[in-house]
Amino acid sequence: MLVTALLDNQSALRYQILNILLEQSQPISLKILMDKVDISKQTLTKYLDEINQMYQEEELEACISTNPETIRIILDATLSFKDLCWPLIRNSLSVHVIELLLNHPNLSNYQMASTLMISEATLSRQLVQLNQALKEFSIQIKNGMWYGPEEQVRYFYYEFYRHFYPDNELFRLKHDANLDQSLAIFEHRLSTNLTLVQREKLSLWLGISQKRWRQKDKDYSQLINRFKPYQEVVFFDRIYQAVLRYLIQFSLKLDEGEIYALMAFILSMDLLDYSNNERLLGFGGPIAKASQCFLNQVKNLTQKGQAVMREEVLYCFGQSSTKLYFFEGAILQKPLVADPKCLSMVKIVMETIFKRKFKKANNITITISETLNTLVDYLNLPPCKEHKIGVLLLGDPIKNSIQRLQLQKTLEQPPYITFETFDQKKWLDYDLVITNVNLPAKNSVQVYRLKNSSMTYDFTQLKLIFRNLLY
């Protein structure tokens, strides 16, 4: 599903315009932009003015600057793509329907139409269009309820919120679920420390799941069937117990499907660390077979066959296989063109290992094939030279220690980029010196002076420098 499938025609065009502008590193020609969105100059100018007006009303520090020949977007560095697109999306009728059904899961069409202040005929037309877009998720809305596999309904909501909602809007959903203690349960049971990104992902899924508990007659039959090969596996039992402990605190009438829905998410959305991913693959079953199949096929496309055994590569195979096994569908900002060889790998896994029909590519199979294609490119990169960075920070020792830690945490990439305290006697050993004082370059060694304490700008500039060093 493309994001634009949930928008009216005018909002979809504005969304496309923003998408194109945000991809440009340089101003784009007015004619090129007109050709890309297939509208007249007059209509394009109208939409650009409307977007600027919208940002003024929302008090967003962003604007589209135009001159007779070129266009570019100017924005505050802290704004995300979702921040910029949210004002376009939030008034969509499809978005209102989807939100309403999460908060009130058992409404009649009459109640839905009354709540949305539209006629039943308008609602019916909207549901026809929305259900068409939902086909790839194998779910539909009928008589004021969701129909289809329950894990697919939750996965759709996860994709929906993840792609559409800015952080401040997501916070409300996750805050309502009161999740801090719950996350600690999973960290303890999985013997891992979740990163901030992983905590955000799990919090979102848990928040959606808590709202879905009110839905009657949920369908878990497909998910239960897919877990059958793993019911006697020790590693899966460990995760089962973690999920059970989390759910039991809510005094729910527990069923197997509710436990499996959360397990499927934990296993497939990059929440496992490398060691737990290895355990997942070590117990066999269709996921391990799919991962091995991907490994064998990718090996044939790379110049360094042995490199596919690196832990980060095996992790990618494992997570891609698990997601493909448990879930269907994906929401994309724009269409992706699948690499034929990588799409063929996905087709082989779907048909020979998962025993499912592969009539044509859909967004999840295209997304997985794109991941595999990126992995092939990564494995074919020439070996990187190791680079040593000297760090010289003078002044407040506490502040300097924090800055040094931020630099290493954000930018260090062992073994290719390593940081060490600057030593005047080792000038020639450094590929770059980072400092907060005025230090002249010496012996052609580049010196970067930090600009401010927040370091947001500095991180952006240093990443560009490091990219040039590595590639």
Side-chain angles (χ1 to χ4, degrees):
M1 176 193 291
L2 294 177
V3 169
T4 50
L6 299 181
L7 304 177
D8 61 65
N9 290 338
Q10 290 192 2
S11 295
L13 280 169
R14 295 189 194 103
Y15 182 88
Q16 284 180 268
I17 291 167
L18 279 175
N19 224 329
I20 293 167
L21 290 176
L22 288 165
E23 287 178 342
Q24 311 303 313
S25 57
Q26 301 292 330
I28 185 173
S29 156
L30 185 66
K31 185 177 185 312
I32 291 175
L33 184 55
M34 285 165 51
D35 291 342
K36 282 180 178 287
V37 292
D38 194 23
I39 55 177
S40 68
K41 181 178 180 180
Q42 183 179 4
T43 304
L44 177 59
T45 303
K46 171 176 168 284
Y47 284 156
L48 295 176
D49 289 342
E50 288 173 351
I51 293 170
N52 277 332
Q53 179 65 30
M54 177 184 70
Y55 287 156
Q56 286 181 10
E57 292 171 358
E58 296 290 327
E59 298 183 351
L60 291 176
E61 294 187 34
C63 72
I64 297 173
S65 172
T66 62
N67 65 37
E69 299 297 330
T70 60
I71 303 172
R72 66 186 178 118
I73 188 165
I74 303 169
L75 59 142
D76 186 277
T78 61
L79 291 175
S80 68
F81 180 71
K82 292 190 292 183
D83 292 323
L84 295 169
C85 294
W86 175 241
L88 291 175
I89 290 167
R90 69 177 177 201
N91 292 321
S92 160
L93 183 53
S94 288
V95 169
H96 289 323
V97 169
I98 292 164
E99 282 184 320
L100 181 63
L101 285 177
L102 183 62
N103 293 299
H104 305 281
N106 301 291
L107 295 177
S108 67
N109 279 2
Y110 171 76
Q111 289 171 315
M112 287 176 64
S114 298
T115 303
L116 296 168
M117 294 186 289
I118 57 175
S119 69
E120 287 190 66
T122 300
L123 176 63
S124 295
R125 287 193 297 271
Q126 193 68 33
L127 289 178
V128 169
Q129 178 185 331
L130 182 53
N131 282 331
Q132 184 64 33
L134 290 168
K135 277 186 177 179
E136 71 171 274
F137 287 87
S138 300
I139 55 177
Q140 63 175 315
I141 300 167
K142 188 168 61 175
N143 301 324
M145 292 176 61
W146 285 101
Y147 284 82
E150 176 62 20
E151 73 277 8
Q152 282 298 123
V153 175
R154 297 186 192 188
Y155 172 62
F156 168 73
Y157 270 111
Y158 173 76
E159 286 280 286
F160 171 76
Y161 278 109
R162 189 168 69 92
H163 282 89
F164 289 154
Y165 281 62
D167 292 342
N168 60 324
E169 294 290 330
L170 286 177
F171 176 78
R172 180 166 42 85
L173 175 70
K174 293 179 287 192
H175 178 72
D176 290 347
N178 192 19
L179 297 170
D180 286 343
Q181 186 176 354
S182 302
L183 294 174
I185 291 172
F186 292 109
E187 288 186 320
H188 174 70
R189 288 285 177 169
L190 296 173
S191 302
T192 188
N193 291 317
L194 296 173
T195 66
L196 179 61
V197 172
Q198 290 172 326
R199 292 173 72 89
E200 292 291 312
K201 286 183 176 182
L202 184 54
S203 295
L204 178 55
W205 182 271
L206 296 178
I208 291 165
S209 296
Q210 288 187 21
K211 288 184 176 290
R212 286 293 298 164
W213 291 341
R214 292 171 288 186
Q215 170 75 52
K216 300 173 184 177
D217 303 321
K218 296 186 285 291
D219 177 9
Y220 293 112
S221 56
Q222 175 179 276
L223 186 62
I224 290 171
N225 188 53
R226 289 180 181 174
F227 265 103
K228 281 182 179 177
Y230 298 102
Q231 287 177 341
E232 304 300 322
V233 172
V234 175
F235 174 67
F236 283 80
D237 184 62
R238 214 170 116 206
I239 297 179
Y240 185 100
Q241 294 302 322
V243 172
L244 184 62
R245 184 177 171 191
Y246 160 71
L247 291 173
I248 212 165
Q249 65 183 314
F250 298 101
S251 303
L252 292 174
K253 182 183 177 182
L254 292 177
D255 57 47
E256 206 168 38
E258 186 65 48
I259 296 171
Y260 284 160
L262 182 48
M263 286 180 66
F265 182 81
I266 291 172
L267 292 168
S268 61
M269 297 296 169
D270 302 327
L271 298 180
L272 302 179
D273 58 18
Y274 285 168
S275 60
N276 278 324
N277 183 69
E278 287 178 13
R279 292 188 185 98
L280 165 66
L281 301 179
F283 287 100
I287 294 171
K289 289 177 182 176
S291 184
Q292 184 64 46
C293 182
F294 282 141
L295 186 153
N296 292 337
Q297 293 179 85
V298 167
K299 190 182 290 186
N300 294 332
L301 296 178
T302 63
Q303 301 161 7
K304 301 170 286 184
Q306 193 59 31
V308 299
M309 299 304 293
R310 295 210 299 254
E311 62 180 7
E312 72 271 20
V313 179
L314 294 176
Y315 187 87
C316 184
F317 289 141
Q319 290 297 287
S320 296
S321 301
T322 312
K323 187 173 184 179
L324 199 60
Y325 183 67
F326 286 121
F327 297 109
E328 301 168 43
I331 295 178
L332 302 179
Q333 290 180 3
K334 60 181 181 178
L336 293 177
V337 179
D339 177 83
K341 291 181 180 177
C342 292
L343 190 60
S344 174
M345 295 183 207
V346 177
K347 181 180 180 181
I348 289 169
V349 165
M350 292 288 286
E351 293 183 338
T352 63
I353 297 174
F354 295 163
K355 309 299 181 186
R356 298 179 205 160
K357 292 181 180 178
F358 188 95
K359 294 180 181 177
K360 63 176 183 177
N362 58 32
N363 284 332
I364 194 167
T365 56
I366 291 173
T367 302
I368 298 293
S369 67
E370 179 71 11
T371 300
L372 295 173
N373 191 38
T374 303
L375 199 58
V376 170
D377 290 343
Y378 167 70
L379 291 168
N380 284 328
L381 282 173
C384 294
K385 176 191 169 188
E386 294 181 20
H387 298 279
K388 191 179 293 184
I389 312 299
V391 181
L392 175 62
L393 301 176
L394 301 180
D396 185 338
I398 295 177
K399 179 180 174 182
N400 292 344
S401 296
I402 293 171
Q403 281 194 323
R404 167 75 178 262
L405 185 61
Q406 288 177 317
L407 284 168
Q408 290 186 252
K409 191 173 181 180
T410 307
L411 300 170
E412 194 165 37
Q413 302 175 44
Y416 306 119
I417 292 178
T418 56
F419 287 73
E420 68 173 50
T421 301
F422 176 76
D423 184 341
Q424 183 77 25
K425 299 175 182 177
K426 293 181 169 181
W427 262 106
L428 293 178
D429 292 346
Y430 301 122
D431 297 282
L432 173 71
V433 175
I434 300 173
T435 182
N436 61 356
V437 296
N438 187 17
L439 185 70
K442 184 177 180 181
N443 297 324
S444 301
V445 175
Q446 185 177 357
V447 175
Y448 181 86
R449 184 173 180 181
L450 298 172
K451 304 296 185 295
N452 56 57
S453 57
S454 72
M455 299 183 74
T456 304
Y457 174 83
D458 293 315
F459 287 148
T460 302
Q461 298 304 308
L462 286 167
K463 283 178 182 177
L464 291 173
I465 293 171
F466 287 178
R467 189 180 302 162
N468 291 332
L469 282 176
L470 290 172
Y471 306 118

